[in-house]
């Protein structure tokens, strides 16, 4: 049977929520609880920096603040911590993080060491390329034999290694710098999640970057938050998360960041 993590996550959430009544508005169930929340800050518009390099903003940050308002928990040190994805995973494995996110996909491998929130954004991967230096790229298949950069610890890395065996795969620990590497010819392309690539290409037109039209690995690009496995707080987090999906709050937050029409169809 073809594996679809979206369906598995939805089924798990349904079973979990059936144990508790779902209210439209949570009522401070986590009042007095301090949670450690980490977002990867290089994934615009889900989590990124503006004028404050210690406070990530974006859709994921807004979701956390909305959940905080409904559940009443405190943020440790009264802030969301910015932290790269690989470091987030290490903290979660050591039991030193409660929630991680920032444009993070639910995958089978990650399910081995974390619980997931409900899926909140349905996307897929694509290819970022230079219209000036590589105008012939229209599909990932055009990357055969080329140099392709992918983020570390990402679904894009898995996809590239499985589907481009004759290409040179380079690992990036800062996805934003990867985009400039494409623009200046250091690498031929970047494979990553479509809305993040599109957001950068649209906001930096002087770099002459474009994104392919295809949708790759949709099953590996379902955005979620990672939760400390087995945490007693998770059921409340799940309830509140589903409430903001059902009452339209999540749609309003997506519209705020220009993401209303960006999900895969």
């Amino acid at each position: 049977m073809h594996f679809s993590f979206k369906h598995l996550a939805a089924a798990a959430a349904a079973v979990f929520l059936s144990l508790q009544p779902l209210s439209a508005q949570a009522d401070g169930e986590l009042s007095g609880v301090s949670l450690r929340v980490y977002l990867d800050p290089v994934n615009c518009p889900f989590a990124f920096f503006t004028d404050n390099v210690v406070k990530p903003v974006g859709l994921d940050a807004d979701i956390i603040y909305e959940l905080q308002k409904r559940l009443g928990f405190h943020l440790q040190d009264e802030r969301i911590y910015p932290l790269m994805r690989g470091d987030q995973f290490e903290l979660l494995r050591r039991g030193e993080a409660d929630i991680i996110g920032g444009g993070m996909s639910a995958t089978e491998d990650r399910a081995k060491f974390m619980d997931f929130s409900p899926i909140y954004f349905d996307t897929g991967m694509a290819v970022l390329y230079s219209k000036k230096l590589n105008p012939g790229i229209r599909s990932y298949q055009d990357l055969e034999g080329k140099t392709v950069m992918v983020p570390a610890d990402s679904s894009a890395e898995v996809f590239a290694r499985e589907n481009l065996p004759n290409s040179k795969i380079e690992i990036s620990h800062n996805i934003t710098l990867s985009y400039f590497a494409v623009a200046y010819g250091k690498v031929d392309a970047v494979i990553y999640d479509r809305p993040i690539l599109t957001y950068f290409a649209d906001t930096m037109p002087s770099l002459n970057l474009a994104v392919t039209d295809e949708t790759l690995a949709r099953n590996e690009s379902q955005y979620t938050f990672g939760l400390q496995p087995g945490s007693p707080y998770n059921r409340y987090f799940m309830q509140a998360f589903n409430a903001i999906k059902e009452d339209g709050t999540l749609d309003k937050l997506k519209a705020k960041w220009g993401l209303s029409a960006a999900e895969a169809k």
Side-chain angles (χ1 to χ4, degrees):
M1 180 180 294
H2 180 67
F3 176 82
S4 169
F5 200 92
K6 180 180 180 182
H7 295 155
L8 178 59
V15 172
F16 200 17
L17 291 172
S18 69
L19 302 177
Q20 296 291 331
L22 177 64
S23 60
Q25 177 78 19
D27 188 25
E29 289 94 336
L30 298 185
S31 178
V33 173
S34 180
L35 298 182
R36 302 155 297 180
V37 180
Y38 298 86
L39 298 182
D40 188 335
V42 295
N43 291 320
C44 300
F46 297 92
F48 62 105
F49 292 131
T50 52
D51 58 338
N52 187 335
V53 295
V54 298
K55 183 180 180 182
V57 299
L59 175 61
D60 284 30
D62 283 356
I63 290 173
I64 293 296
Y65 292 133
E66 179 65 28
L67 294 172
Q68 181 186 26
K69 181 173 69 175
R70 297 184 181 219
L71 292 172
F73 60 83
H74 298 291
L75 293 169
Q76 183 168 287
D77 297 331
E78 298 183 356
R79 69 187 184 101
I80 295 172
Y81 298 99
L83 193 67
M84 303 300 283
R85 185 77 70 230
D87 295 327
Q88 290 181 354
F89 292 166
E90 286 304 311
L91 288 186
L92 204 66
R93 286 187 175 100
R94 297 202 304 260
E96 297 175 10
D98 297 295
I99 303 170
I100 64 172
M104 186 188 76
S105 301
T107 68
E108 289 182 271
D109 285 341
R110 292 170 185 174
K112 297 172 183 176
F113 62 93
M114 68 176 77
D115 290 341
F116 293 118
S117 76
I119 301 298
Y120 68 90
F121 197 85
D122 182 358
T123 184
M125 288 183 277
V127 177
L128 180 81
Y129 64 96
S130 169
K131 292 184 286 185
K132 179 180 179 181
L133 301 176
N134 275 294
I137 293 177
R138 293 292 181 270
S139 165
Y140 83 92
Q141 294 173 326
D142 296 323
L143 302 180
E144 185 74 14
K146 294 184 180 293
T147 301
V148 180
M149 188 166 278
V150 293
D153 303 305
S154 69
S155 301
E157 179 182 355
V158 175
F159 177 88
R161 295 196 186 283
E162 290 180 350
N163 293 278
L164 296 169
N166 298 317
S167 299
K168 181 180 180 182
I169 308 302
E170 293 193 1
I171 304 302
S172 170
H173 295 279
N174 187 319
I175 190 62
T176 303
L177 294 181
S178 302
Y179 308 149
F180 288 97
V182 173
Y184 297 121
K186 303 298 184 183
V187 299
D188 295 303
V190 166
I191 297 177
Y192 198 34
D193 295 336
R194 170 182 294 284
I196 295 172
L197 297 179
T198 300
Y199 187 91
F200 185 86
D202 289 347
T203 55
M204 297 289 287
S206 63
L207 295 179
N208 290 310
L209 298 173
V211 179
T212 54
D213 291 332
E214 63 193 344
T215 298
L216 308 172
R218 183 173 174 181
N219 285 343
E220 297 294 317
S221 301
Q222 308 296 312
Y223 280 8
T224 185
F225 287 86
L227 311 176
Q228 186 62 231
S231 170
Y233 308 137
N234 288 356
R235 65 172 182 172
Y236 302 111
F237 189 74
M238 298 282 281
Q239 284 180 299
F241 208 114
N242 276 279
I244 70 171
K245 292 179 69 174
E246 293 183 1
D247 67 17
T249 300
L250 181 58
D251 288 336
K252 292 177 181 177
L253 294 178
K254 290 179 183 179
K256 171 184 174 181
W257 295 103
L259 290 165
S260 297
E263 291 190 82
K265 302 302 183 185

